[in-house]
Amino acid sequence: MNAFVTALQLSVAAAFVSIPVVRARFGATATAAARAELDRQGVRTTVLEENGMRFDAGGHETWAPVAIASAVGTTAALGLAGVAWAGTASWIVLGLVLAINLVILYSNLTATSSVRAAFARKGDPELARIDVAALLKAAESGFPRWVWVLQNARHVVVFGAAALALITPALG
């Protein structure tokens, strides 16, 4: 059973690592597409950097998923090594992972309204006139179509494998 739970945990870790890998490979293209859209809208193209908006693997788009994957991987290793408190650590880490993934899913589903609201809070009239939906659609076009499938598969893996890893020990 330890090997099965470990495999589930490692699949969750791999799912999180997929985020910065995809962003590292295609983020520059997505950023260029977003800048082109801003230029088309007559908005300064530096607005993304000025407001911490990134489509590449920089900043929290790398350190957060790598940290999550590391935490899950560590609990998997502890469980495989038979450390007495590994189950408790797994419950804590995987519970947090489920909560974090809910936030990520919500963020994905509300990206347009969230960015629009963030821009409105800045009080910058130039930001207020950005067509955020068009900006995000342009950025999305910088990623291959299969990234959307990967994103959904990642959510299924994280929710499913984490939940199964949590309940499997109770069933054994």
Side-chain angles (χ1 to χ4, degrees):
M1 178 160 16
N2 275 352
F4 178 67
V5 171
T6 298
L8 291 169
Q9 290 171 312
L10 293 178
S11 68
V12 170
F16 270 93
V17 171
S18 72
I19 298 167
V21 168
V22 167
R23 284 180 172 265
R25 173 65 179 90
F26 303 105
T29 305
T31 299
R35 285 183 182 145
E37 175 59 26
L38 289 172
D39 188 49
R40 187 192 69 73
Q41 291 183 31
V43 176
R44 65 187 186 277
T45 59
T46 57
V47 75
L48 298 175
E49 292 82 13
E50 292 167 8
N51 290 283
M53 189 174 198
R54 304 183 71 131
F55 300 103
D56 63 9
H60 79 278
E61 295 294 347
T62 293
W63 69 256
V66 169
I68 291 166
S70 297
V72 174
T74 298
T75 60
L78 292 171
L80 202 55
V83 174
W85 48 271
T88 302
S90 289
W91 266 91
I92 293 167
V93 169
L94 291 174
L96 288 171
V97 163
L98 288 171
I100 290 166
N101 207 59
L102 279 172
V103 171
I104 292 169
L105 181 59
Y106 178 79
S107 173
N108 290 346
L109 295 173
T110 62
T112 301
S113 61
S114 296
V115 171
R116 197 176 286 130
F119 283 177
R121 284 192 300 274
K122 299 282 184 173
D124 181 338
E126 189 171 25
L127 290 177
R129 66 184 179 84
I130 292 175
D131 180 346
V132 174
L135 171 65
L136 294 178
K137 185 175 181 175
E140 187 178 300
S141 75
F143 293 99
R145 287 182 178 213
W146 58 259
V147 171
W148 181 84
V149 174
L150 175 67
Q151 175 182 305
N152 290 322
R154 193 194 72 70
H155 286 302
V156 170
V157 168
V158 170
F159 287 127
L164 195 54
L166 287 171
I167 63 169
T168 297
L171 299 175

